[in-house]
Amino acid sequence: MARALNEWLWQHDFWLPPGITWEDMQESEDVHYPQPRDLLLSIPFALILVVIRCAFERAIALPLSGKLGVKDKQRPKAQPNPMLETFYSTRCKNPEEGEMIVLAKQCDLPVRKVERWFRRRRNADRPSLSKKFCEACWRFTFYFISFFTGLAVLYDKPWLWDHRECWTGYPQQPLQSSLFWYYMLELSFYWSLVFTLPFDVKRKDFKEQIVHHAATIFLISFSYCANYIRIGTLVMVIHDASDCFLEPTKILNYMKWKKTCDSLFMIFSAVFLISRLVIFPYTVLYNTYYYSMEIFQPFFGYYFMNALLIILQLLHVFWSCLIIHMVYKFILQGTMEKDMRSDTEESDKDEEREKTREKEKNGITYFSSVTSNNYIQRNGSEPLNNRTHLTNGHAKER
């Protein structure tokens, strides 16, 4: 059964244009074509990247965060409570009002204290500022290396300047060693992101990030197997261009360099919108959809490739809307609002209200004592601490 499934999966009708079979893609001593088994190398390479990342964050990024003044906010800790901890871990991290009341009765605590406990417990699970800084440093380092590696690999390739060259001789386009290692670098990195997904900073677009990683891995893998190497390299370079500006923007934000962060964010916004909404549709989507038809007729790989590219473009539109909204707010308010993808920390509003009530109560008490003294003075009597008694029983004003 496994053999039958393997034969069905690797039918040349799925992967190659009409009239081309796997026999036409046989390798020789001088000519090498992409082989699907090569993709298995990306798994151990991804694990190596995870190890390198852990060492980088611990030995370089974390000490750097301290020197640059990135300090973690001191968060009030939730008091140990086994019953609430069990509910938090097994059922819900943000219970509704009715559940709060039941938990308060079971723990013999006021509802306000139960709400405060859950609020502090949720804040404790949120990533620290230094963790965000280390993650941004690692991604910036990789994107910077990857982007300039892509430029070094592609600068002398004809399809970088003439997009029709992506399809010259397709699919019988020999695989160069530089392109192979560039592909392995990118694919291994995205596999490493999948491996570390449970431990990375979770943002509001977490689901979109999962879709993005899955589509990217499928896109890179399929483009390699179907020898869409040339169009795949263009996709990777275009994506890395804007990411090189995003991560340092986050780093500056964590460092509280507000003006520099805002300026770099505007540059990132321009690069992102131009690369993802202008260059990508023309260089990749139009190229894959239209120019490829000058060489071969549509087949399954053609539709599948374009479907993955369209998914990426829809994600580009989603993130572009967020960026445009932030830029619009910046133009109106003159300052950049917080990253809408980030999960903001909850504040102890109840504690603030209690402190306000205490201050108001103290003020009312003080005001009442002052007015009562004035009332006594107006009626001709004084409090004892404002009068001194003489030996003959008479009182004298101080």
Side-chain angles (χ1 to χ4, degrees):
M1 183 176 181
R3 183 178 179 180
L5 180 62
N6 184 64
E7 292 177 355
W8 174 84
L9 178 63
W10 295 107
Q11 294 182 67
H12 58 78
D13 295 338
F14 290 165
W15 302 90
L16 301 173
I20 304 294
T21 64
W22 291 116
E23 285 73 18
D24 299 321
M25 304 290 294
Q26 293 295 325
E27 293 186 332
S28 63
E29 294 182 359
D30 300 328
V31 178
H32 298 279
Y33 294 111
Q35 300 296 324
R37 62 178 178 271
D38 298 339
L39 298 177
L40 297 176
L41 293 174
S42 62
I43 302 299
F45 289 161
L47 296 176
I48 293 174
L49 281 179
V50 172
V51 174
I52 295 175
R53 172 183 174 175
C54 293
F56 174 86
E57 291 184 354
R58 179 171 297 184
I60 299 177
L62 189 59
L64 184 63
S65 67
K67 293 182 179 180
L68 295 177
V70 178
K71 297 181 180 180
D72 294 331
K73 183 180 178 181
Q74 295 296 328
R75 298 167 175 168
K77 294 183 179 180
Q79 295 295 327
N81 191 311
M83 185 175 296
L84 296 180
E85 183 67 34
T86 302
F87 186 92
Y88 180 88
S89 303
T90 59
R91 294 192 56 186
C92 180
K93 296 183 178 181
N94 194 4
E96 297 179 355
E97 184 178 356
E99 294 173 323
M100 288 282 191
I101 296 174
V102 173
L103 289 170
K105 291 180 179 179
Q106 292 176 350
C107 298
D108 194 21
L109 292 173
V111 177
R112 190 183 305 122
K113 288 189 176 182
V114 175
E115 293 176 353
R116 184 189 307 163
W117 188 94
F118 276 95
R119 184 166 51 252
R120 290 182 173 181
R121 186 65 180 82
R122 287 192 296 269
N123 285 337
D125 282 349
R126 287 184 171 84
S128 62
L129 201 61
S130 59
K131 177 177 174 60
K132 295 179 181 180
F133 179 89
C134 292
E135 182 178 312
C137 283
W138 164 250
R139 296 198 182 198
F140 168 67
T141 302
F142 177 84
Y143 289 135
F144 183 85
I145 294 174
S146 178
F147 176 66
F148 284 98
T149 299
L151 291 181
V153 169
L154 296 176
Y155 82 97
D156 60 343
K157 302 299 187 293
W159 62 86
L160 180 63
W161 314 106
D162 184 2
H163 305 320
R164 279 187 167 88
E165 288 293 328
C166 289
W167 312 109
T168 301
Y170 179 84
Q172 295 169 312
Q173 298 171 337
L175 175 64
Q176 302 177 17
S177 59
S178 59
L179 298 178
F180 167 79
W181 288 111
Y182 181 44
Y183 249 74
M184 287 298 106
L185 177 67
E186 291 279 352
L187 183 58
S188 301
F189 175 71
Y190 281 101
W191 271 121
S192 70
L193 292 182
V194 172
F195 295 157
T196 59
L197 204 59
F199 313 103
D200 287 343
V201 177
K202 290 182 175 60
R203 304 183 184 275
K204 293 181 180 179
D205 62 346
F206 179 72
K207 295 180 180 179
E208 289 80 4
Q209 285 286 349
I210 294 178
V211 174
H212 175 268
H213 295 342
T216 302
I217 291 173
F218 275 118
L219 181 59
I220 294 176
S221 301
F222 179 81
S223 65
Y224 186 85
C225 294
N227 205 12
Y228 280 102
I229 298 291
R230 297 183 179 183
I231 200 70
T233 55
L234 295 179
V235 173
M236 293 186 292
V237 167
I238 291 173
H239 278 72
D240 290 341
S242 59
D243 292 333
C244 286
F245 292 95
L246 174 61
E247 301 304 328
T249 302
K250 295 179 182 179
I251 293 173
L252 293 172
N253 181 43
Y254 302 146
M255 293 167 55
K256 308 299 182 184
W257 291 15
K258 191 64 178 173
K259 292 183 179 180
T260 310
C261 174
D262 291 347
S263 301
L264 190 58
F265 181 82
M266 297 302 292
I267 297 175
F268 157 74
S269 301
V271 174
F272 185 94
L273 296 176
I274 293 173
S275 63
R276 304 294 179 93
L277 300 184
V278 179
I279 297 178
F280 183 84
Y282 173 72
T283 304
V284 177
L285 291 180
Y286 184 76
N287 187 8
T288 307
Y289 177 77
Y290 182 74
Y291 288 157
S292 62
M293 292 296 95
E294 297 177 355
I295 306 299
F296 54 79
Q297 295 299 315
F299 64 106
F300 175 81
Y302 166 83
Y303 295 112
F304 188 69
M305 183 75 171
N306 279 280
L308 293 175
L309 292 174
I310 290 174
I311 291 175
L312 282 183
Q313 185 60 24
L314 292 176
L315 292 172
H316 296 165
V317 173
F318 170 78
W319 284 314
S320 296
C321 292
L322 296 181
I323 292 172
I324 292 172
H325 180 75
M326 294 178 70
V327 172
Y328 176 73
K329 290 288 186 179
F330 175 75
I331 295 174
L332 291 182
Q333 301 176 0
T335 182
M336 194 68 62
E337 75 172 7
K338 295 181 179 179
D339 185 0
M340 291 184 296
R341 298 170 56 232
S342 299
D343 192 10
T344 56
E345 187 167 330
E346 299 175 80
S347 60
D348 285 333
K349 295 181 179 179
D350 285 347
E351 293 183 6
E352 295 174 2
R353 293 193 191 101
E354 289 176 5
K355 292 179 181 179
T356 304
R357 290 194 193 100
E358 289 179 1
K359 291 180 180 179
E360 292 176 352
K361 184 178 179 181
N362 293 335
I364 293 172
T365 304
Y366 174 77
F367 177 77
S368 300
S369 63
V370 171
T371 53
S372 61
N373 288 339
N374 291 337
Y375 175 79
I376 294 172
Q377 290 175 3
R378 285 196 301 268
N379 286 275
S381 59
E382 296 289 340
L384 293 177
N385 59 356
N386 288 333
R387 305 171 69 187
T388 56
H389 293 271
L390 301 180
T391 54
N392 59 3
H394 296 281
K396 180 181 179 181
E397 295 291 337
R398 288 184 179 178

